């Protein structure tokens, strides 16, 4: 309805009023609809109007509850027969123009009242009742009912050009399709070169010409990504794809996206408007078949098992219909009526060495367009015939379709490096295989994309070469290899049967060891005074393995003797510090009282600061004023001055704030220190000097501790200066948050993320040591 049209009456028309106003002035309820008069009439107006002899034969219909009249223009009134033939049926009126006195459907209102003065005409809005709609549907033929079922169908973006699915989940997919979750569906998709009219073909084949999928006369492609819509007539999901050979970015990813769509489809339409079939068509289908069998068959089987689907996803590909439209040339096979077009198609595949083995069937459907528009009836019949065939591909619920697409998108995703691309094929292996490259030899991984998410390691069929930078050697026990077993061994500090301290002693004397789980210690680097042979020549075999990005080297230096020594010393120091904390405070307090001057208050009697009355805690330090001898906190006794009257001088010593302010007051002679007290004072001075000296020594030892730790660090540990935050919880390290290395992976963690203890034989830690939360979850030996 035009935005400028004035609406006189809205709401449910439970009572239709007379539109003639001949006798009743338009206030009586309408009883009849007269087709010739083109109006609704009350009882009195109908009798009065049809009294003349020439008007008595007018066809009149009694109005039922909820009745809405037909459009006057669609009936052919006023010469509008062409519009009635275009619509194919009588349209129900949407409004009645009060000025023109005619009933109009939506299309006729736009056509006749969209411009000029007519757009200001007041109108009355009709609301059709369910009873009349049902009556109209009963009067429709089968074709009209089908048209009506597709009137509300809309398309939606399913996957964008970067291969990202645009529906949130299975429920969102079903909601956008506007179908029942239990409805069993098939999938029909279309492929072809850009500009060949793929969207136009789908609109006319499935939706009777309605523009469900957008079309455009512009040079730029109007279909970007993958769009989907639901055909309620044939119970299929119709998928429109982006055209081939278009000027697009991310061409590799968009081409890979086409094969994902092909994998979930039951029927594929390849649309071409070339007068002669090009080789690109056969190359595309042949390469798609090869890639489907090589990469998608196994993944579809795994998806069926992983998702527990009741309907198996067929490993045989979809059927293909080649829809060929020509203008100036004959259709395929028309020159030789005895030959079937499908046979000629197979011969072309064979000549090009392309074998479409993955497709369940390939059919040819051609049409020659002498004068537009294109005839899609033959294609429509071929599609319906293929959809009825359930021998290879059976219908499935929409949730199953979504799960299959989601599984393929998760597996085959990510950027495709252009420098690794082979352009001789539409679907090269690089589209579907892992993009990791060996750092040592440069060969690529042959596993499927994103295989690391399932714990599957990288793999390459070619042999690697040794690189000193990565030290990609692996040692295996020679004796076990001769017995038919392949057991990896690594050089380490001590044997698994040695205690930590005994292992360190043996390492200092005999060097590192190589230990086999079956044969025990098979090699010591300094077992003899001289003549020690290389282990490669005696007890181990060497293999060269690939170095994949994100993995550690192989024969890294696992001689962790220095770090084990530091760990042991830190453990002893921490234990002594924790166990002796309480006794140390008590002994220190008692010793301080023994060498304190007699005028000092004993530490046991000082419970709070003399000035601010702040209670002392266990870790708080008590300070004596050298003048009055009372106990103070650090804040109330931070000033210094000489106290010669107490024997503290000439150097300044700690005094409280009160004594500092009363510096001019001299002490009495009786308060001067005696000879015995002078000896005690000397002892106190000596004690303070020793205490300050020890504190300086401890501080001096703390400074190079970081250097010692860095020198003792095993080669696979991340250096301390590179660790800024916890590798797991991402907390930033500070003075209060200490760094800890996982003995398995070598990353830096906080204590909460690395409090587990476990042996790491592969790194030379045969006894339980600190490991992170992630490494502790790994099964088997670390």
């Amino acid at each position: 309805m035009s935005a400028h049209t004035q609406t006189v009456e809205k709401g449910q028309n439970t009572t239709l009023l007379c539109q003639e106003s001949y006798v009743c002035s338009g206030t009586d309820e309408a009883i009849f609809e007269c087709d010739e008069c083109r109006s609704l009439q009350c009882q009195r107006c109908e009798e009065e109007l049809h009294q003349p002899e020439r008007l008595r034969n007018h066809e009149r219909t009694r109005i039922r509850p909820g009745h809405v009249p037909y459009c006057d223009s669609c009936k052919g009134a006023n010469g509008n027969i062409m519009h009635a033939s275009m619509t194919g049926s009588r349209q129900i009126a949407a409004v009645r123009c009060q000025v023109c006195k005619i009933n109009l459907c939506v299309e006729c209102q736009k056509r006749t009242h969209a411009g000029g003065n007519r757009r200001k005409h007041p109108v009355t809005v009709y609301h059709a009742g369910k009873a009349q709609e049902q009556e109209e549907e009963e009067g429709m033929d089968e074709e009209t009912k089908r048209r009506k079922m597709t009137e509300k169908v809309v398309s939606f973006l399913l996957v964008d050009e970067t291969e990202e699915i645009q529906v949130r989940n299975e429920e969102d997919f079903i909601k956008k399709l506007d179908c029942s979750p239990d409805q069993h569906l098939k999938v029909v998709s279309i492929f072809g070169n850009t500009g060949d009219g793929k969207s136009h073909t789908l609109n006319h084949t499935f939706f009777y010409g309605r523009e469900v999928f957008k079309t455009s006369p512009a040079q730029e492609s109007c279909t970007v990504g993958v769009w989907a819509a639901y055909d309620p007539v044939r119970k299929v999901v119709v998928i429109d794809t982006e055209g081939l050979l278009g000027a697009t970015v991310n061409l590799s990813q968009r081409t890979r996206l086409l094969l994902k769509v092909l994998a979930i489809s039951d029927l594929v339409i390849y649309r071409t408007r070339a007068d002669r079939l090009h080789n690109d068509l056969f190359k595309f289908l042949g390469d798609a078949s090869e890639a489907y069998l090589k990469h998608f068959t196994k993944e579809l089987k795994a998806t069926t098992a992983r998702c527990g689907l009741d309907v198996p996803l067929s490993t045989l590909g979809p059927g293909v219909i080649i829809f060929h439209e020509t203008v100036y040339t004959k259709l395929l096979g028309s020159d030789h009526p005895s030959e079937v077009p499908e046979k000629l198609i197979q011969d072309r595949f064979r000549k090009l060495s392309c074998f479409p083995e993955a497709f369940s069937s390939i059919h040819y459907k051609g049409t020659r367009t002498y004068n537009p528009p294109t005839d899609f009836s033959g294609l429509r019949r071929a599609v319906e015939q293929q959809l009825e065939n359930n021998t290879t591909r059976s219908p499935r619920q929409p949730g199953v379709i979504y799960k299959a697409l989601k599984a393929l998108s998760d597996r085959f995703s990510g950027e495709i490096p252009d420098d690794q691309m082979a352009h001789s094929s539409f679907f090269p292996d690089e589209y579907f295989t892992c993009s990791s490259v060996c750092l040592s030899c440069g060969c690529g991984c042959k596993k499927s994309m994103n295989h690391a998410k399932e714990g599957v390691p990288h793999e390459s069929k070619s042999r690697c070469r040794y690189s000193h930078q990565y030290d990609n050697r692996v040692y295996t026990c020679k004796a076990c290899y001769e017995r038919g077993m392949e057991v990896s061994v690594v050089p380490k500090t001590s044997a698994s049967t040695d205690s930590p301290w005994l292992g360190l002693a043996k390492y200092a004397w005999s060097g590192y060891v190589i230990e086999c789980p079956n044969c025990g210690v098979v090699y010591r680097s300094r077992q003899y005074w001289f003549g020690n042979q290389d282990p490669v020549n005696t007890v181990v075999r060497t293999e060269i393995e690939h170095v994949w990005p994100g993995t550690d080297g192989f024969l890294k230096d696992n001689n962790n003797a220095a770090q084990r020594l530091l760990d042991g010393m830190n453990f002893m120091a921490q234990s002594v510090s924790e166990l002796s904390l309480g006794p140390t405070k008590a002994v220190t307090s008692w010793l301080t009282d023994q060498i304190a001057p007699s005028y000092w208050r004993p530490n046991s009697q000082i419970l709070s600061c003399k000035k601010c009355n702040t209670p002392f805690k266990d870790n708080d330090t008590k300070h004596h004023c050298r003048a009055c001898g009372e106990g103070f906190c650090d804040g109330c006794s931070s000033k210094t001055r000489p106290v010669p009257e107490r024997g503290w001088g000439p150097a300044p010593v700690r005094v409280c704030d009160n004594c500092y302010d009363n510096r001019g007051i001299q002490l009495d002679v009786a308060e001067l220190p005696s000879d015995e007290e002078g000896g005690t004072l000397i002892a106190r001075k000596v004690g303070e000097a020793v205490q300050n000296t020890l504190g300086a020594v401890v501080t001096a030892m703390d400074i190079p501790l970081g250097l010692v730790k860095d020198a003792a660090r095993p080669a696979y540990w991340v250096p301390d200066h590179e660790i800024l935050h916890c590798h797991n919880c991402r907390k930033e390290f500070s003075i209060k948050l200490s760094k800890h290395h996982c003995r398995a992976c070598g990353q830096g963690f906080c204590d909460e993320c690395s409090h587990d203890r476990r042996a790491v034989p592969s790194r030379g830690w045969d006894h339980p040591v600190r490991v992170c939360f992630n490494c502790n979850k790994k099964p088997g030996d670390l």
Side-chain angles (χ1 to χ4, degrees), residues 276-548:
R276 295 179 177 87
L277 296 179
H278 295 163
N279 288 346
D280 284 348
L281 183 153
F282 300 95
K283 286 285 291 179
F284 175 85
L285 294 177
D287 293 342
S289 172
E290 182 181 357
Y292 183 90
L293 293 175
K294 189 173 183 179
H295 301 287
F296 280 61
T297 299
K298 182 173 65 175
E299 186 59 30
L300 290 173
K301 288 182 179 179
T303 303
T304 304
R306 185 168 58 249
C307 299
L309 303 179
D310 297 331
V311 180
L313 301 173
S314 177
T315 55
L316 188 62
V320 176
I321 296 179
I322 299 176
F323 181 54
H324 184 203
E325 180 184 3
T326 66
V327 177
Y328 303 107
T329 58
K330 297 178 181 179
L331 299 177
L332 187 67
S334 59
D335 292 336
H336 306 281
S338 60
E339 293 188 3
V340 181
E342 284 75 10
K343 177 67 168 53
L344 301 176
I345 293 288
Q346 293 294 339
D347 292 340
R348 286 285 299 273
F349 275 116
R350 203 162 28 249
K351 289 179 181 179
L352 295 172
S353 298
C354 299
F355 304 99
E357 301 170 350
F359 301 116
S360 56
S361 63
I362 297 181
H363 296 274
Y364 175 85
K365 179 57 63 176
T367 181
R368 187 171 180 180
T369 305
Y370 294 97
N371 295 306
T374 305
D375 181 16
F376 294 99
S377 59
L379 175 63
R380 188 180 302 113
R381 289 192 298 270
V383 168
E384 291 175 350
Q385 182 180 358
Q386 291 298 313
L387 291 176
E388 292 175 358
N389 183 7
N390 296 328
T391 56
T392 304
R393 311 278 293 199
S394 58
R396 54 211 183 274
Q397 295 176 347
V400 177
I401 298 173
Y402 173 79
K403 288 177 180 177
L405 178 62
K406 184 72 167 61
L408 295 176
S409 296
D410 292 343
R411 167 63 76 181
F412 304 107
S413 61
E415 296 183 359
I416 304 173
D418 292 335
D419 56 348
Q420 302 176 24
M421 193 55 54
H423 296 285
S424 60
S425 171
F426 274 99
F427 301 99
D429 289 344
E430 287 81 1
Y431 285 7
F432 311 101
T433 55
C434 180
S435 59
S436 296
V437 177
C438 175
L439 302 177
S440 179
C441 66
C443 66
C445 175
K446 297 304 179 184
K447 288 288 186 181
S448 298
M449 278 187 155
N450 301 312
H451 60 88
K453 295 179 180 180
E454 299 177 358
V456 179
H458 294 284
E459 181 182 304
S460 178
K461 296 181 180 179
S462 60
R463 295 182 64 86
C464 191
R465 62 172 179 264
Y466 176 72
S467 172
H468 178 73
Q469 177 184 358
Y470 301 106
D471 196 12
N472 52 332
R473 294 175 298 171
V474 173
Y475 285 166
T476 57
C477 178
K478 184 177 291 186
C480 292
Y481 181 78
E482 292 174 353
R483 293 196 296 266
M485 298 181 293
E486 190 168 348
V487 181
S488 297
V489 294
V490 293
K492 56 184 181 179
T493 301
S494 61
S496 59
T497 56
D498 296 335
S499 64
W501 290 105
L502 179 60
L504 285 175
K506 288 185 177 181
Y507 172 77
W509 181 259
S510 306
Y512 71 87
V513 301
I514 296 179
E515 183 180 19
C516 172
N518 301 324
C519 307
V521 177
V522 297
Y523 179 79
R524 284 190 180 273
S525 61
R526 295 195 303 271
Q527 186 173 3
Y528 307 106
W529 286 100
F530 61 90
N532 294 292
Q533 297 183 355
D534 191 272
V536 177
N537 300 328
T538 54
V539 296
V540 298
R541 295 176 63 256
T542 302
E543 292 186 4
I544 309 301
E545 293 198 357
H546 294 283
V547 184
W548 304 107

Side-chain angles (χ1 to χ4, degrees), residues 10 32 55 82 259 329 445 473 489 497 547 604 705 713:
K10 288 187 177 181
F32 299 97
L55 301 178
M82 181 170 61
L259 193 60
T329 58
C445 175
R473 294 175 298 171
V489 294
T497 56
V547 184
S604 59
L705 182 59
R713 174 178 56 84

Side-chain angles (χ1 to χ4, degrees), residues 5 54 113 141 143 221 252 493 537 605 706:
T5 303
R54 59 185 180 86
H113 284 64
D141 58 5
E143 187 70 15
S221 176
S252 302
T493 301
N537 300 328
Q605 298 179 11

